[in-house]
Amino acid sequence: MTEAAELPQAPEQAQTVFGEYFPEAVRYAELLADAGVKRGLIGPREVPRLWERHLLNCAVLSEVVPEGVTVCDVGSGAGLPGIPLALVRRDLKITLLEPLLRRTTFLQEAVELLGLDHVTVVRGRAEEMLGKLPSVHVVTARAVAPLDRLAGWGVPLLRPYGEMLALKGDTAEEEIVGARAALSKLGVVEASVLHVGEGVVDPLTTVVRVEVGESPGGVRFAAKRAKAARPSRPRRRR
């Protein structure tokens, strides 16, 4: 069995980014380095770079999230980017959506440990949540799938004129080009690449912003949304 690497001391930037919630950020990093590794949520090799590559890389997403909105973190896994975002943005109402039980158990423990009263953990697949979860202003995601598939899961969860913010790598521009037809069918009106975290992370965090119009998910999901919103009729007794 591989021995877990030691968690390095938090860099100075972490104290600036997390501010008064820096102690909670340290607690979360320790939780990831211990229980997160033991339960297979992150690899032991990720521990030495937890701060730069994971916590700070995700926390700077807050630069492009509007104030006071609702957020759904799709495929939240170990809570990235949802928990770092929640630590720096108490004005948001965040749902951590994750299908696997062992991960949702970890997420619930983390949320309670860190006192994140504005965060809710929901177990389920994004494609099954239409009508079960309220539509949100912003969907976030990190490295869970190619952009076309990710948009197919996340975009239908949005309110009209909402946006999906996906943390991506160097191929972000290429992914947008390759996914353009699929995005159009989903009611996406604009897709762009943003770089955030100036002075905090190097390289900068790459974010794909996918903006929708008045019909998130396009024609295909309009009927599903209408059906989900329709109240169910009580069965007649014979």
Side-chain angles (χ1 to χ4, degrees):
M1 184 175 178
T2 307
E3 188 176 335
E6 188 177 341
L7 177 69
Q9 187 174 350
E12 288 182 17
Q13 298 96 315
Q15 298 191 37
T16 303
V17 170
F18 291 103
E20 64 180 299
Y21 299 106
F22 173 67
E24 284 80 2
V26 172
R27 219 166 291 147
Y28 177 53
E30 291 170 347
L31 188 65
L32 286 173
D34 185 10
V37 172
K38 289 175 181 174
R39 300 187 197 180
L41 274 71
I42 65 164
R45 292 181 181 179
E46 296 302 309
V47 174
R49 48 188 183 180
L50 263 179
W51 283 106
E52 287 84 358
R53 185 181 172 117
H54 298 286
L55 273 76
L56 289 172
N57 184 268
C58 290
V60 295
L61 183 62
S62 66
E63 294 177 19
V64 289
V65 177
E67 284 189 24
V69 298
T70 52
V71 178
C72 183
D73 188 31
V74 170
S76 196
L80 301 164
I83 289 181
L85 182 62
L87 285 169
V88 297
R89 293 288 300 276
R90 300 284 165 148
D91 59 301
L92 306 174
K93 288 198 177 300
I94 300 177
T95 298
L96 306 179
L97 181 60
E98 168 58 47
L100 296 184
L101 178 60
R102 65 186 172 89
R103 292 177 181 170
T104 53
T105 299
F106 174 86
L107 291 172
Q108 193 61 54
E109 290 171 5
V111 165
E112 291 173 8
L113 175 71
L114 303 173
L116 300 175
D117 298 335
H118 58 309
V119 177
T120 304
V121 177
V122 175
R123 185 184 175 198
R125 298 183 181 279
E127 57 268 38
E128 297 168 356
M129 288 296 113
L130 196 63
K132 296 180 182 178
L133 283 180
S135 298
V136 296
H137 298 96
V138 176
V139 163
T140 58
R142 184 183 193 230
V144 294
L147 184 59
D148 54 349
R149 202 184 322 158
L150 184 57
W153 297 335
V155 166
L157 300 178
L158 290 170
R159 290 185 177 195
Y161 306 103
E163 60 186 12
M164 184 178 76
L165 300 171
L167 275 67
K168 287 287 183 179
D170 297 336
T171 61
E173 296 276 7
E174 295 169 29
E175 283 202 55
I176 288 178
V177 172
R180 208 168 286 285
L183 294 177
S184 180
K185 287 181 181 178
L186 288 166
V188 172
V189 296
E190 185 69 40
S192 56
V193 175
L194 311 172
H195 297 285
V196 295
E198 184 74 46
V200 178
V201 289
D202 184 20
L204 298 179
T205 298
T206 301
V207 181
V208 172
R209 172 186 271 160
V210 172
E211 301 170 76
V212 299
E214 61 183 16
S215 184
V219 176
R220 178 183 164 197
F221 286 92
K224 286 186 178 181
R225 191 173 281 106
K227 184 178 179 182
R230 204 178 300 143
S232 56
R233 295 180 181 177
R235 291 184 180 179
R236 291 183 181 178
R237 291 183 179 179
R238 293 186 177 180

